[in-house]
Amino acid sequence: DGSRPRAMLAAVYICGFVATLWLPFVCADARSRAPPSASVVEALAREANPKLALLLLFNAVNALICVWEIALWTHRANVQKLHRGYLKKFGNRVLPRPLCLFEDITLAQALSLKHWSIVFAQYASLDPSYVQHTSWSFWIDVGNGFTMLVPTVALSIAVTSWPEVPMIASFTPRSVGIVAIVMNYQMFYGTVMYYCNYCYNRYDVGASATSKVVVFAANLVWIVGPLAWIFYAVRFVHSNSLAIV
């Protein structure tokens, strides 16, 4: 029916968002070292920095999560409403099916914060902290969303010098390193405390092995990623250089 909005798998939109905040930075970094006559593909083949690419990929994914965390706050009532429906239909400690990532959605939905509040409504089936507005998990994630989105993108700009933003370019490598250490330590600490809260409150009891792996893997990314950035940020401070080698 041509009158219906076209729908695509939600995961396709997610990959598109992440790619938009990842590939341009990777390409810009590679082209900065390649001959002027080299094409983007040639520059990537010759000069792409795998270590930097992985760090930038983490930033892109983190920016996506920040947007979802903002949706958690702005549509917190909707998260609770959807969560109650999932509990009735699937029970406690059971991920709803199909997962929101594998549902067809329209472009309008993909651009809607309210739609993406479904992510935490479904995740709350494994950790009810996200529908409890007095919990550590709720507030640390909401706070991360509002405070880390701009610094995350700014860090990608700083280490690739693309696009040229005078305010960011005015920071010395040591200053960038200090900011990177602070912001990534905050994410690392918040994740560790979140997982401690999850385990201490025994939210894993009754969950399937798959669900436990989902929670562990999701949080492991925000332990490894920040620690990797901290490792290189310390180098920025010591060397006063943004080189990632």
Side-chain angles (χ1 to χ4, degrees), residues 40-87:
V40 173
V41 174
E42 290 172 334
L44 286 172
R46 295 179 185 177
E47 301 293 345
N49 183 335
K51 294 176 183 177
L52 177 59
L54 286 173
L55 291 169
L56 293 171
L57 178 59
F58 171 75
N59 280 7
V61 174
N62 189 57
L64 171 69
I65 301 302
C66 285
V67 173
W68 288 351
E69 289 167 336
I70 292 171
L72 170 63
W73 170 254
T74 56
H75 297 288
R76 54 196 180 278
N78 190 55
V79 172
Q80 291 179 320
K81 177 183 176 182
L82 291 173
H83 175 63
R84 287 193 295 269
Y86 292 138
L87 286 182

Side-chain angles (χ1 to χ4, degrees), residues 179-212:
V179 172
I181 290 170
V182 171
M183 61 182 279
N184 282 283
Y185 178 76
Q186 180 273 138
M187 288 191 285
F188 166 76
Y189 170 80
T191 303
V192 170
M193 295 308 297
Y194 162 80
Y195 199 71
C196 289
N197 176 72
Y198 172 81
C199 294
Y200 179 79
N201 286 293
R202 304 303 307 275
Y203 291 142
D204 59 318
V205 174
S208 67
T210 300
S211 296
K212 293 176 184 177

